Amino acid sequence: MIPSRLTVRLLALSILCTGFVIVVVNILIYRARIVFAVLHPEYVSEQPATISRAISAPQVGEPFAIWMAICAPILFVGVSALVYGAWREQARTGPTDRGIFWLSLIVVLLQAMASVGMVLLSRYRFPDHHEMHMVGSYLFFFSQAFVVVFGEFLSRRHGALEEGRSFMDKRGGNLRRVYIWVPVCLGVAYLFLFVIKGYDLGPISVPLYTAYTVTEPMLLSSFLGYVLSYHFDMGRAIWRYLRA
C-alpha cells in the first residue's frame, strides 16, 4: 500500500514528536534520580529515591517540570498524528471500520489525560503539593497504561483489515503482540509493589521497596517503548511512498 501525501506528513510528524519525547523523557527520569543521589547522599544511603521524591529537590524538579511541560503536548500531537493517519488510510482505501474509529478516539482522549497528568505531577511536587502531585501521578500512570492497552487493541484491529488497507503490517503487529507483555507485567508488578510498600513486612520490606523504585522508571520506559514500536510501521510506509 502506498499511503497518501497527507498521511506521510502525519507519520513524519508523529515520528519526530514521539521520537523527541522518547529520548527526552527517558533522560529526565533516570537523570532525576542520579542528580538527587548526588545532592542528597544521606537520603539514598537509607533508601533509594522514587522519581517523585527525586523531583522534590528544586534543583531537579524545576528543570524536570519545564521539560515535562514541553514534552506533554508534543507527545499528544505525535500520538494523535499516528492515530489519525492510520484511521485516514483505512477510511481512504475502503469502508470505514467503526471499531477503529472508536478505538482511535479512546486512545487520543486517554493520551490527552496522560499528558495533563505529566504536567500536573511535575508542576506540583512534594512536600508542598502532595495531593495534587498524587492526582497527577494517578492520572498519568493509569491513562498512559490504558493508552498502551487500547493502542494494542487498535493495532490488532488494523492488522485484521484486508491487505493494503493499513500501513500497520503483520510484522509490526507481531512485534507488538509480544512486546505488550512487557508494560503489562511491569504495570502489574508496580501496582502490587505500590500497595504493599506501605506495610511492615519485616526483613523483606527493604528489598521490596528497592524493587518498587527500580520498577517505576522501567515501567515508564516500557510505555515509551510501545510507542517506539510504531516507528517501524511508519518508517516503512514513508519509505514506500518515497520509492513510489
Side-chain angles (χ1 to χ4, degrees):
M1 181 196 74
I2 307 301
S4 69
R5 179 180 298 180
L6 177 57
T7 299
V8 167
R9 289 175 176 174
L10 287 168
L11 300 186
L13 175 63
S14 179
I15 289 175
L16 289 173
C17 290
T18 56
F20 173 81
V21 173
I22 288 168
V23 172
V24 172
V25 171
N26 269 304
I27 292 173
L28 286 174
I29 58 179
Y30 293 101
R31 177 184 178 276
R33 294 181 58 180
I34 293 172
V35 174
F36 181 84
V38 172
L39 294 173
H40 301 280
E42 72 288 347
Y43 182 96
V44 296
S45 65
E46 297 182 3
Q47 62 178 9
T50 62
I51 296 173
S52 294
R53 183 60 61 189
I55 63 175
S56 66
Q59 303 94 322
V60 180
E62 289 299 329
F64 188 92
I66 292 171
W67 278 108
M68 281 296 179
I70 295 171
C71 289
I74 292 177
L75 181 59
F76 173 74
V77 170
V79 171
S80 298
L82 165 61
V83 170
Y84 177 63
W87 177 84
R88 186 178 183 278
E89 279 304 296
Q90 63 84 33
R92 183 179 68 89
T93 56
T96 301
D97 187 300
R98 292 182 62 85
I100 288 178
F101 172 79
W102 287 111
L103 285 171
S104 299
L105 183 60
I106 290 170
V107 169
V108 170
L109 290 175
L110 285 169
Q111 187 57 63
M113 294 167 61
S115 294
V116 171
M118 289 171 66
V119 175
L120 289 178
L121 69 87
S122 59
R123 173 65 179 82
Y124 298 100
R125 303 183 296 274
F126 298 153
D128 299 324
H129 304 286
H130 185 276
E131 290 186 2
M132 282 301 296
H133 177 80
M134 295 309 298
V135 168
S137 295
Y138 291 142
L139 182 61
F140 166 71
F141 274 105
F142 284 103
S143 297
Q144 200 66 53
F146 282 112
V147 166
V148 172
V149 172
F150 280 95
E152 178 61 17
F153 292 155
L154 181 58
S155 174
R156 296 186 183 192
R157 191 85 179 198
H158 275 284
L161 293 172
E162 298 87 348
E163 186 175 354
R165 292 201 59 203
S166 177
F167 61 80
M168 297 185 192
D169 58 24
K170 293 186 182 298
R171 285 177 294 178
N174 291 337
L175 170 66
R176 283 185 289 276
R177 283 175 184 267
V178 176
Y179 180 82
I180 186 66
W181 291 105
V182 176
V184 167
C185 291
L186 285 172
V188 172
Y190 180 74
L191 185 60
F192 171 74
L193 292 168
F194 177 79
V195 172
I196 67 169
K197 70 181 177 61
Y199 295 92
D200 184 4
L201 299 177
I204 66 170
S205 293
V206 173
L208 285 176
Y209 189 82
T210 301
Y212 165 70
T213 60
V214 171
T215 305
E216 181 184 32
M218 292 175 60
L219 176 60
L220 296 176
S221 294
S222 73
F223 288 158
L224 296 171
Y226 185 81
V227 177
L228 178 63
S229 70
Y230 286 92
H231 283 216
F232 298 104
D233 303 73
M234 294 189 288
R236 284 195 294 266
I238 293 173
W239 176 243
R240 285 195 298 270
Y241 173 83
L242 293 175
R243 289 186 62 187

